[in-house]
Amino acid sequence: MSTGGPGPRIGVLALQGDVREHARLLEELGAVVTPVRRSSELAAIDALVLPGGESGVMDRLARITGLREPLREVIADGLPVLGTCAGLILLADRLLDGTPGQETLGGLDVTVRRNAFGSQTDSFETDLEVPALGPPAARTAFIRAPLIAQLGPRARALATLPDGRIVAAEQGRVQGLAFHPEATGEQRFHRRLLAQVRCR
């Protein structure tokens, strides 16, 4: 980005998971990255990334740190958000196969099934056509990935596998991806997040 000044301030939820990978990619794009571990840090950011990791653990830590309700509020208030893998689970309005007592933050009108592709050994990489990004296909990594089992009327699909299963969706300024673009160096989803900051 070339803004003539400091880039947008992007928070990365830093309770657990792929925080460094997202931070590195965002900094390559010119953003100023803030790890988010407490609610007071939400006031200083222009957008938020919910990284991959273990969604049940992230949910518990968000409760313990008092972050869960403030996160729900900023997402509902229209903060641009990108969620990848566990981040997609956190954004889903409805969850299947969650851990006992697990809750989501909501913001994306989808039903997500946790660990839908199997265990770590079933992880894979693939090239994914994403019409909103245009060519070339996005290189993506699915690691114990969730799946969007049902798309509600307020959300739209961003990407599907060749068999029609939905693996990315968008609703307003919220993007939820079942995969890890940061693991393959695919920057265009993060560029979309930064573009949404400029449009606010």
Side-chain angles (χ1 to χ4, degrees):
M1 291 177 63
S2 177
T3 61
R9 296 159 300 170
I10 311 299
V12 179
L13 186 65
L15 299 178
Q16 191 258 352
D18 302 334
V19 178
R20 284 180 299 180
E21 292 83 351
H22 283 286
R24 183 170 55 244
L25 194 155
L26 287 163
E27 288 169 351
E28 288 173 2
L29 295 175
V32 177
V33 175
T34 300
V36 173
R37 299 185 181 90
R38 51 185 67 89
S39 61
S40 59
E41 290 158 340
L42 292 171
I45 60 173
D46 300 311
L48 177 66
V49 172
L50 303 177
E54 172 39 62
S55 63
V57 173
M58 293 165 80
D59 174 47
R60 285 197 300 277
L61 291 174
R63 280 188 243 186
I64 291 168
T65 57
L67 259 174
R68 190 163 72 178
E69 288 309 315
L71 285 169
R72 282 180 168 165
E73 289 172 9
V74 296
I75 295 169
D77 285 347
L79 185 74
V81 182
L82 170 64
T84 63
C85 196
L88 166 64
I89 295 172
L90 292 175
L91 287 171
D93 283 350
R94 298 166 297 278
L95 175 62
L96 302 173
D97 297 336
T99 59
Q102 183 174 355
E103 296 184 21
T104 68
L105 302 172
L108 192 56
D109 185 14
V110 297
T111 302
V112 165
R113 184 177 299 282
R114 184 171 164 270
N115 290 345
F117 292 88
S119 68
Q120 190 88 13
T121 57
D122 298 309
S123 301
F124 62 96
E125 285 191 19
T126 189
D127 292 326
L128 199 62
E129 300 289 344
V130 184
L133 300 183
R139 188 68 182 168
T140 56
F142 288 73
I143 304 169
R144 290 174 51 212
L147 179 70
I148 297 174
Q150 187 176 36
L151 195 67
R154 290 173 295 162
R156 70 181 186 103
L158 273 182
T160 60
L161 291 172
D163 62 9
R165 289 182 291 176
I166 303 170
V167 290
E170 183 176 58
Q171 179 178 332
R173 298 187 180 98
V174 175
Q175 299 177 77
L177 317 177
F179 45 84
H180 294 261
E182 79 285 359
T184 59
E186 170 57 62
Q187 296 183 335
R188 287 175 288 174
F189 294 101
H190 294 75
R191 288 185 187 277
R192 281 172 64 82
L193 180 71
L194 300 184
Q196 288 164 340
V197 172
R198 291 193 293 270
C199 293
R200 280 190 91 186

